[in-house]
Each structure stands twice: as structure tokens, then as C-alpha cells.
Amino acid sequence: MAQQEKFLNAQSKKPSASSPPLPWRTRIALSVISTFTDYSRRQNGTVNRRLLGFFTLKTPANPDPVNGVKSSDVTVDPSRHLWFRLFVPTTDESLKMSTLPIIVFFHGGGFVYLSADGMAYDAVCRRFARKIPAVVVSVNYRLAPEYRYPAQYDDGFDVLKFLDDEKNRGILPGNVNLSCCFVAGDSAGGNLAHHMAKRASESTSTFKTLKVIGLVAIQPFFGGEERTEAEARLAKIDPLISVTRTDWTWKAFLPPGEGMDRDHEAINVSGPRAADISKLDFPATVVVVGGFDSLQDWQRRYYEWLKKSGKEVYMLEYPTMVHAFYIFPELPESTHLISEIKDFIHKQCSKL
């Protein structure tokens, strides 16, 4: 990825810093997010959803094009409130394309917070749909601790099966190419995207048309019983991630029982209980890492594990960026990342 190399060379000329060089607007937003998620956690392990509701900005779907993208909400299973937001590009570029790739996107939030209709994720998915261009399916999966593992993974996989089902084909635009499908997500969504790629690789006979050919793991939320160097070094610097917060969310995510600790394969995917994916047709993968993200050591291990497993994998590093940086459009690194993801998707689709 030549563009990424040039970008990193430019970043390497910046002076080293003891804190991430973020504009005040971004710092304030991160501080607000951290404060209200911390206050929403109750001592009994539950979440004050009512408190969060007062400060959660949501955006309705809009069938009329906004910035070259129209959107709609699609129910998959009303009994578990499983739905997704569908983004369809309407730009001149997208209309000229004979087929469009499809991205199945999973939002972040530690498996506990946020939703597909949140303002930030609505905006991010619109950018993906417009810039790549692609049809984007943003999954609103169930949240912990009300619904624990593996509910989130089951929801994600059921959406893939829903998209593959011929009777639901009319929901998607006619020029979507289901054989050019990518799973993507940030943080907990990156964890989900990995496990969806793995499940799809293990269940190829499940799908008639849909084929996952790429995985975009943006600062994926992985962990383990061990405390890493980055977690210790960035303990008082990382504005969003801390051991206290991640420990709480992992405890909320996993059900009680033997083996349900942070070395569980769902969390420490490349750790002592890692699955053997060497014989799977696992899709090409991009792993995004930020230099001020406390989770970076886990993400780098994931990248190395994929390489050792014989998989096609790329790492995009942003040395001065924090966790979730890409949702802030005021950061040039956010624009750069979307451009890199576009190149990756077009490269993989060109192989078909």
C-alpha cells in the first residue's frame, strides 16, 4: 500500500508526544463519551440505559439521498429486535458501476454501548457508502450485559444468512454483488467482524450467493488475562480505553462458567486457546492500529497470528492516533483510512 507508506513517512517527521495531538473538538467529544459511559455502569454489573438515552444522539433513516446516500431500516427478527440500517449510494460514480460491493458493518462500544442509528455511526457508514462506493449494511446487534456471548455473534451471522436468502433479495439494490462481500467493524465491531469471517469460512455450504472475501478490522477489541506493555504505558494517556473499562465490559460480555475468562477464544483470538484457521479459506484482512490505542499490542498479535496462519493480511498504522479516531471527520487520518479501505476493497473485488 504505497499511499500508506507515504502517509507514515510524513507522520514519522512529527515530533514524538506524550499525549495524542488531537484538536480540542475531538478531545472534548472523547471526554464526554468516556464520562457518560463510566457513569452508566452500575455496581451490580448492569447499565443505566435511561441515563445513556439522555445523551445519545440518534439519526433516523432517510429514503431521500443525503450527501449522495439514501438509507432505510430493515427488520431481521422482531422478537430479538435485530435489524440493520441499509445505506445505498446514489452518486454519479456509483450509478455508473455495473455492480457494487457490499459491506456488512458492526459498530463498536465494547459490546455494551452504542447502536447502528447513532449519529456517529450513521455518518461513518454514509462515508463508506459514498466514498468507496458500496452498499453498506450496519447491524444493530443485541448488547451485553442484557444479552451475553454468543448473542452478538449469532445476530451477526443471522444477518449474513438473511442477506443471502433469495426471498429477501428485493430489499437490496439490483446491482449489489453478494459474492463481493466484506465484513467490517471498529473496536467490538472489529472483533465481531473477525468472528463473522471465521464463521463464514467454516460454513461455506450455508450460503448460496454471498461470499465474504474481505475483512476490515479497525482497531479491533481483543484482550487477554495478560496485561500488555501498551496497556500499562498508556494507562493515563489513552482518553477512551483503560484496563478498568475493558475488564468491566469483558465481564459484562461473557456469561459465567468454566473457561469464561479473558483468554476465551472470543476475546484472545490469537492466544492460548486460539482456533486453528490455517486450513480455512479465511478472507484477506486489513488490521488498523493506532499508536495511542491501549489495545494495539493485541491487534499486532492478531496480525502476526493471521500471517503465521498463512493468510493474506495487511496492517495500517497511525502512530499518533487514539482508539476510534476514524469516526472524527475533522482528523485527516480518518479521510486517509477510508481511502485505504477503498483501495483494499477494489483490489479484492478485482480478483473475482
Side-chain angles (χ1 to χ4, degrees):
M1 295 183 176
Q3 186 181 356
Q4 171 70 5
E5 186 175 344
K6 288 172 66 177
F7 189 80
L8 285 175
N9 288 339
Q11 283 213 330
S12 67
K13 296 176 183 178
K14 297 178 180 179
S16 60
S18 57
S19 62
L22 300 173
W24 281 108
R25 175 182 173 184
T26 311
R27 288 182 181 278
I28 291 170
L30 289 168
S31 177
V32 169
I33 293 169
S34 298
T35 298
F36 286 110
T37 53
D38 285 349
Y39 274 114
S40 73
R41 299 198 309 260
R42 297 190 179 108
Q43 290 185 349
N44 64 0
T46 62
V47 175
N48 189 337
R49 300 288 179 197
R50 179 175 294 183
L51 173 65
L52 285 176
F54 285 121
F55 301 98
T56 302
L57 300 176
K58 295 193 175 184
T59 301
N62 194 336
D64 299 320
V66 176
N67 293 329
V69 179
K70 61 182 180 180
S71 61
S72 58
D73 291 339
V74 179
T75 299
V76 175
D77 183 351
S79 69
R80 50 180 153 152
H81 197 53
L82 175 59
W83 58 274
F84 61 80
R85 178 158 292 181
L86 176 67
F87 297 86
V88 179
T90 60
T91 60
D92 290 341
E93 180 185 0
S94 64
L95 294 174
K96 291 176 183 176
M97 297 176 67
S98 58
T99 62
L100 291 171
I102 183 168
I103 301 171
V104 181
F105 179 85
F106 300 93
H107 67 80
F111 297 102
V112 175
Y113 303 105
L114 306 177
S115 62
D117 57 358
M119 183 178 290
Y121 283 111
D122 182 89
V124 160
C125 289
R126 285 183 179 276
R127 291 175 75 192
F128 283 142
R130 181 176 66 253
K131 296 287 188 181
I132 288 175
V135 173
V136 178
V137 167
S138 182
V139 181
N140 197 74
Y141 54 88
R142 288 172 290 176
L143 299 176
E146 293 90 342
Y147 301 96
R148 297 177 185 264
Y149 167 85
Q152 297 76 16
Y153 299 167
D154 292 341
D155 287 353
F157 199 66
D158 284 348
V159 168
L160 294 181
K161 292 190 290 185
F162 179 91
L163 295 171
D164 184 64
D165 193 329
E166 286 187 13
K167 71 174 183 287
N168 300 320
R169 204 60 54 80
I171 293 169
L172 300 172
N175 63 340
V176 70
N177 185 356
L178 286 172
S179 65
C180 190
C181 177
F182 295 79
V183 287
D186 72 302
S187 196
N191 177 305
L192 264 167
H194 160 76
H195 286 284
M196 292 308 97
K198 177 175 173 288
R199 280 198 184 187
S201 301
E202 294 168 334
S203 313
T204 53
S205 61
T206 300
F207 302 105
K208 296 178 180 177
T209 306
L210 184 142
K211 181 171 176 56
V212 176
I213 66 167
L215 163 59
V216 180
I218 305 172
Q219 299 175 282
F221 186 28
F222 299 136
E225 288 295 307
E226 176 193 346
R227 301 306 190 194
T228 69
E229 185 275 336
E231 286 173 330
R233 174 170 49 86
L234 298 172
K236 296 182 179 180
I237 298 173
D238 189 330
L240 199 59
I241 301 296
S242 69
V243 167
T244 300
R245 289 174 184 146
T246 57
D247 280 0
W248 193 95
T249 53
W250 288 131
K251 188 175 181 180
F253 171 69
L254 286 177
E258 185 178 353
M260 292 297 175
D261 56 34
R262 292 191 304 275
D263 278 335
H264 189 283
E265 190 261 333
I267 298 172
N268 194 353
V269 297
S270 57
R273 300 176 216 162
D276 180 6
I277 64 168
S278 60
K279 294 180 174 59
L280 294 180
D281 185 19
F282 196 85
T285 302
V286 167
V287 183
V288 179
V289 178
F292 282 95
D293 184 352
S294 297
L295 300 175
Q296 62 184 277
D297 290 339
W298 299 111
Q299 295 153 5
R300 295 181 200 281
R301 291 181 190 183
Y302 174 62
Y303 166 79
E304 294 296 337
W305 173 69
L306 288 176
K307 277 208 307 183
K308 290 177 183 177
S309 299
K311 306 309 169 186
E312 180 183 354
V313 58
Y314 309 93
M315 184 160 60
L316 298 175
E317 295 192 68
Y318 293 86
T320 62
M321 287 295 99
V322 298
H323 194 76
F325 73 90
Y326 86 110
I327 68 172
F328 300 102
E330 64 269 20
L331 299 176
E333 291 83 357
S334 174
T335 301
H336 179 269
L337 175 57
I338 291 178
S339 177
E340 287 289 319
I341 292 172
K342 175 180 179 177
D343 291 346
F344 170 73
I345 287 177
H346 286 188
K347 176 182 176 181
Q348 300 306 319
C349 289
S350 70
K351 297 178 180 179
L352 298 179

